[in-house]
Amino acid sequence: MFEVRVKTSNRVEAVNITDKIADLVKEKDARLLHIFVPHTTCGLMINEDADPNVVKDILDSLERVAPRDHSYRHTEGNADSHVKSVIVGSSVTVPVSSGKLLLGTWQGIFLLEFDGPRERRVLVTLL
Amino acid sequence: MFEVRVKTSNRVEAVNITDKIADLVKEKDARLLHIFVPHTTCGLMINEDADPNVVKDILDSLERVAPRDHSYRHTEGNADSHVKSVIVGSSVTVPVSSGKLLLGTWQGIFLLEFDGPRERRVLVTLL
Amino acid sequence: MFEVRVKTSNRVEAVNITDKIADLVKEKDARLLHIFVPHTTCGLMINEDADPNVVKDILDSLERVAPRDHSYRHTEGNADSHVKSVIVGSSVTVPVSSGKLLLGTWQGIFLLEFDGPRERRVLVTLL
């Protein structure tokens, strides 16, 4: 198990962590990568890392599903962050071969921060 | 492979299964936990288990995304349950070390019932 | 690692790939199946394969969450496809025993095409 730290700078933000993760996989004999955030107000996703507008559209769409200013029961001001985290999920998995992530041409791995800025932990398991 | 049974008491409900799952991991030499529900109208999620309002906000938000009383094609009265199950997913994975789940301070594992009350099966695989 | 090709015929479509995947698992000594799409505008899900209306309700619900004709920043006309892919996810996992997928009675594995028609790749890892 490896741990990667990710500092976020805004309340809501997508941080591309593909290179950090790819480095951990290099020269290892793994078949599957599992990464996990031990947090309840951020998540992980795999999607396009070419046009940054794609990630913005994704974050905007999640905001429409769980608006920050909706009237929630949880009163810490981050109920929307919990909902968004559940929708995207706390983990992603990627097949690995010969020390390389088998990501598609347009795929990147992102930590989605929904309640930053914070320092987040990403737990990496290679199987 | 282990199997855990979970009885739900309401149509929609979140059941905290963290302790049941943690017991299965104890004293085992696993690196990753995989749990799976072989059902199409319930799901699994990892999120905050401290303030019960968080889970209620999550269930309410899913209800806004797929309202029970929307006009669906599927006529068994549980189309919304299928949609919600797909959004949260049928499985979760958690890294394990020294027989302990590496969950964050605020994280719990929940079975989300969307079409109860029923008895649900949870299949547990340790890798 | 195995690769399965899936041809889709419409812009939005659910293709049941359960039989293709079940064939790959047969007579293998695996405990967990992992399947992954190296694409950013399609996803994978597990849900009911009995009444085809369930899948239609799921696709309709995702369309309400991320309508095709919404005004997005990404200008290639498939921003909604990216959003939907993130919500359902790029991978699914299923426990395996004695060469059989431990799917529930009503569960099937679907590739959800959100920007077809295309030929899609599905990467299959057995652990």
Side-chain angles (χ1 to χ4, degrees):
Chain A
M1 230 263 308
F2 302 90
E3 183 173 323
V4 172
R5 301 267 170 156
V6 179
K7 280 201 183 176
T8 60
S9 313
N10 299 290
R11 183 174 194 266
V12 175
E13 178 182 6
V15 183
N16 190 331
I17 60 172
T18 316
D19 291 348
K20 280 190 180 193
I21 301 300
D23 278 348
L24 293 174
V25 173
K26 264 183 202 162
E27 297 174 27
K28 303 247 171 38
D29 194 28
R31 295 169 57 214
L32 191 72
L33 163 82
H34 177 266
I35 68 178
F36 177 81
V37 283
H39 305 289
T40 57
T41 55
C42 71
L44 293 166
M45 76 157 189
I46 296 173
N47 209 265
E48 176 168 332
D49 64 359
D51 177 3
N53 280 331
V54 169
V55 166
K56 287 180 193 163
D57 285 331
I58 291 166
L59 294 175
D60 286 352
S61 297
L62 291 169
E63 178 64 23
R64 282 194 301 280
V65 171
R68 182 179 184 180
D69 63 1
H70 180 78
S71 171
Y72 297 97
R73 290 183 170 96
H74 184 58
T75 53
E76 292 178 18
N78 63 357
D80 65 305
S81 321
H82 289 283
V83 177
K84 288 161 182 160
S85 299
V86 167
I87 292 172
V88 301
S90 304
S91 66
V92 292
T93 45
V94 182
V96 179
S97 180
S98 308
K100 285 193 185 164
L101 297 173
L102 297 182
L103 288 169
T105 314
W106 308 104
Q107 284 181 318
I109 306 173
F110 294 86
L111 182 140
L112 297 189
E113 174 64 82
F114 298 121
D115 193 29
R118 302 203 194 197
E119 190 182 53
R120 299 299 199 170
R121 298 167 58 211
V122 180
L123 308 186
V124 181
T125 305
L126 295 174
L127 296 170
Chain B
M1 229 264 307
F2 302 90
E3 184 172 323
V4 172
R5 301 268 171 156
V6 178
K7 279 201 185 177
T8 60
S9 313
N10 299 290
R11 182 174 195 266
V12 176
E13 178 181 6
V15 183
N16 190 332
I17 60 173
T18 316
D19 291 348
K20 280 190 179 192
I21 302 299
D23 279 348
L24 293 175
V25 173
K26 263 182 205 163
E27 296 173 28
K28 303 245 171 42
D29 193 28
R31 297 170 56 216
L32 191 72
L33 163 81
H34 177 266
I35 67 178
F36 177 82
V37 282
H39 305 289
T40 58
T41 55
C42 70
L44 294 166
M45 77 157 188
I46 296 173
N47 209 266
E48 177 169 331
D49 64 0
D51 176 4
N53 281 332
V54 169
V55 166
K56 286 180 193 162
D57 285 331
I58 291 166
L59 295 175
D60 286 352
S61 297
L62 291 169
E63 179 64 22
R64 282 195 301 280
V65 171
R68 182 179 185 181
D69 63 1
H70 179 78
S71 172
Y72 297 97
R73 289 184 171 95
H74 184 59
T75 53
E76 291 178 18
N78 62 358
D80 65 305
S81 323
H82 290 283
V83 176
K84 289 160 181 160
S85 299
V86 167
I87 291 172
V88 301
S90 305
S91 65
V92 293
T93 45
V94 183
V96 180
S97 179
S98 306
K100 284 193 185 166
L101 296 173
L102 297 182
L103 289 169
T105 314
W106 307 104
Q107 284 181 318
I109 305 173
F110 294 87
L111 182 140
L112 297 189
E113 174 63 83
F114 298 120
D115 192 31
R118 301 202 193 198
E119 189 181 55
R120 300 299 197 168
R121 299 167 58 211
V122 180
L123 308 186
V124 181
T125 306
L126 294 173
L127 294 172
Chain C
M1 230 264 307
F2 302 89
E3 184 173 323
V4 172
R5 302 267 171 155
V6 179
K7 280 200 184 176
T8 60
S9 314
N10 299 290
R11 183 174 192 264
V12 175
E13 179 181 4
V15 183
N16 189 331
I17 60 172
T18 316
D19 291 347
K20 281 189 179 193
I21 302 298
D23 278 348
L24 293 175
V25 173
K26 264 183 202 163
E27 296 173 28
K28 303 245 170 39
D29 194 27
R31 297 170 55 217
L32 191 72
L33 164 81
H34 177 266
I35 68 178
F36 177 81
V37 282
H39 305 289
T40 58
T41 54
C42 70
L44 294 166
M45 76 158 190
I46 295 173
N47 209 266
E48 176 169 332
D49 64 359
D51 176 3
N53 281 332
V54 170
V55 166
K56 286 180 193 163
D57 285 331
I58 291 166
L59 295 175
D60 286 352
S61 297
L62 291 169
E63 178 65 21
R64 281 194 302 278
V65 172
R68 182 179 184 179
D69 63 1
H70 181 77
S71 172
Y72 296 97
R73 289 184 172 97
H74 184 59
T75 54
E76 291 179 16
N78 62 357
D80 65 303
S81 321
H82 289 284
V83 176
K84 289 161 182 160
S85 299
V86 167
I87 291 172
V88 300
S90 305
S91 65
V92 293
T93 45
V94 182
V96 180
S97 180
S98 306
K100 284 193 185 165
L101 297 173
L102 298 183
L103 289 169
T105 314
W106 308 104
Q107 285 181 318
I109 307 173
F110 294 87
L111 183 140
L112 297 189
E113 175 63 82
F114 297 120
D115 192 30
R118 300 202 194 198
E119 189 182 53
R120 300 298 198 170
R121 299 166 58 210
V122 180
L123 307 186
V124 181
T125 305
L126 295 173
L127 295 172

